[in-house]
Amino acid sequence: QVQLVESGGGSVQSGGSLRLSCAASAFTSGNYYMGWFRQAPGKEREGVAAINSFGGTSYADSVKGRFTISQDNAKATLYLQMNSLKPEDTGTYYCAAERGAIRSGYLPRESEYRYWGQGTQVTVSS
């Protein structure tokens, strides 16, 4: 059973930084990909970034140059470093994972993930 547990959310002012973490169980062998999504109040959940088991990454245009996705296989942990945060980055951030392979540069849709964390809140004030 795959379990994903996010942490690291909080409240920051515009221009600040946060680092989200996602601890993954039973998921660091074989081909896999993992990602971060976010959902603002009243809006649909949207993909933010993804990484494959080879370290290839992809990003939504809205976060390119500001967010960095990474993984520590030894710790079975996924990270999202968020810099230069804006009020529009506010939302609940979810970690997701799936077995299989994706190419670097491809940002999977929500339907392409089976495993999800419970979410962590990020609030950016102006």
Side-chain angles (χ1 to χ4, degrees), residues 46-90:
E46 62 174 353
V48 174
I51 189 167
N52 63 27
S53 52
F54 301 101
T57 60
S58 57
Y59 297 92
D61 288 343
S62 59
V63 306
K64 280 180 181 176
R66 300 188 298 122
F67 291 11
T68 302
I69 189 171
S70 63
Q71 58 191 353
D72 184 330
N73 290 336
K75 296 181 180 180
T77 302
L78 179 72
Y79 301 101
L80 185 68
Q81 177 66 44
M82 304 185 294
N83 298 327
S84 302
L85 282 161
K86 305 176 181 180
E88 52 263 44
D89 294 318
T90 294

Side-chain angles (χ1 to χ4, degrees), residues 2-6 20-24 27 32-38 45-52 69-71 77-80 93-99 102 107-120:
V2 176
Q3 291 186 328
L4 304 172
V5 180
E6 301 101 333
L20 305 182
S21 299
C22 173
F27 212 78
Y32 63 88
Y33 54 94
M34 300 184 73
W36 290 97
F37 285 73
R38 66 185 180 190
R45 191 152 53 180
E46 62 174 353
V48 174
I51 189 167
N52 63 27
I69 189 171
S70 63
Q71 58 191 353
T77 302
L78 179 72
Y79 301 101
L80 185 68
Y93 282 69
Y94 298 89
C95 170
E98 181 57 83
R99 299 192 185 281
I102 58 168
L107 191 65
R109 299 180 299 273
E110 183 177 354
S111 61
E112 295 178 272
Y113 289 94
R114 276 184 292 170
Y115 306 105
W116 292 85
Q118 81 289 349
T120 185

Side-chain angles (χ1 to χ4, degrees), residues 10-30:
S11 297
V12 295
Q13 291 191 327
S14 182
S17 298
L18 282 173
R19 187 176 81 156
L20 305 182
S21 299
C22 173
S25 65
F27 212 78
T28 54
S29 61

